[in-house]
Amino acid sequence: MNTGWNFHKAAKTLRCALTFLSALAVFLSFAWPAAGQQPKDKKNKKEPSLADNSGHILPLNDEQQIDYMISEMLGAWQIGDIDRLHKDYADDVTFVNGGWAPPVFGWNNYLPLYQQQRARMQKVRMDRSNTYLKVEGNLGWVCYQWDFSATVDGQPTASQGQTTLVVAKRDNRWVIVHNHTSLVATTPPPAPAGEQPPAQTPPTKPS
């Protein structure tokens, strides 16, 4: 068995996967969905609200408004509604990802990156879990975990990660001002019984 060839082939495949995952981390920093949520039309209303069983309108508190905003953004992300997405992001928003890529400053710089990655994907789904919100005055932060799956360039793809958001209340409306999304490293499945793993070589010092 040519273990040297197998190792170089595996290393090349790993580099390609890491390159894509780095780009995917930037893309995923744009959304953090909860399963089954859909966009809701709230035209002509200054703040999100809901009705009780008697039909009375109940205003939402800050935590509920932030959660509603995230759900609304998710629905717009799923259908590609850029205008509605922009409504939930500040013009001066910053994006940081865990793929060792430079941060992205501003909506106008982020939008083409999102559109480029989104065009490669179909059947996109991401489920949010373990969400925690904290509000202090006109600032707040949110953290959660997510499971992502999609068809990318015709191939099924899945990943997991976590996101932290900083939100601010501007003009009596909550918007996202910072997004930090990281992918969680996964361990490759063990080789089938009787099959030898690729040969390993000692690490080399960086040039």
Side-chain angles (χ1 to χ4, degrees):
M1 179 182 294
N2 189 342
T3 56
W5 182 84
N6 285 339
F7 172 75
H8 290 298
K9 182 179 179 181
K12 182 178 180 181
T13 301
L14 179 61
R15 285 196 299 271
C16 292
L18 291 176
T19 299
F20 171 75
L21 289 177
S22 176
L24 180 63
V26 180
F27 170 76
L28 292 176
S29 68
F30 199 67
W32 36 93
Q37 292 177 324
Q38 298 295 331
K40 299 180 180 179
D41 188 2
K42 289 294 182 179
K43 294 181 179 178
N44 301 322
K45 291 185 179 181
K46 294 182 179 180
E47 292 186 7
S49 60
L50 52 83
D52 60 14
N53 293 333
S54 63
H56 294 96
I57 301 300
L58 304 176
L60 303 182
N61 60 31
D62 286 326
E63 288 83 359
Q64 292 169 328
Q65 289 182 43
I66 294 170
D67 191 69
Y68 177 91
M69 179 267 292
I70 295 174
S71 299
E72 182 184 54
M73 179 277 300
L74 166 61
W77 177 77
Q78 290 179 327
I79 64 176
D81 188 335
I82 302 302
D83 292 333
R84 187 171 295 183
L85 281 172
H86 190 189
K87 184 173 72 68
D88 295 323
Y89 280 90
D91 287 333
D92 58 349
V93 62
T94 57
F95 295 88
V96 176
N97 72 81
W100 197 247
V104 179
F105 296 91
W107 166 266
N108 290 334
N109 291 322
Y110 183 81
L111 180 57
L113 300 177
Y114 162 75
Q115 292 175 313
Q116 180 181 7
Q117 291 295 322
R118 188 65 176 84
R120 301 172 56 194
M121 301 184 182
Q122 297 81 38
K123 300 179 181 179
V124 179
R125 178 186 177 92
M126 183 159 50
D127 298 325
R128 180 179 57 161
S129 62
N130 298 323
T131 303
Y132 180 80
L133 293 98
K134 177 71 173 180
V135 177
E136 293 287 347
N138 289 329
L139 291 175
W141 60 271
V142 187
C143 63
Y144 52 85
Q145 296 171 295
W146 47 261
D147 285 279
F148 170 85
S149 64
T151 300
V152 182
D153 297 334
Q155 299 295 324
T157 301
S159 61
Q160 294 178 314
Q162 48 196 1
T163 293
T164 299
L165 307 175
V166 178
V167 295
K169 196 169 191 178
R170 298 178 177 178
D171 297 326
N172 205 35
R173 184 171 60 86
W174 288 98
V175 293
I176 301 163
V177 297
H178 181 75
N179 180 312
H180 190 150
T181 293
S182 298
L183 290 168
V184 175
T186 57
T187 303
E195 180 177 327
Q196 295 296 326
Q200 300 293 320
T201 59
T204 58
K205 295 182 179 180
S207 58

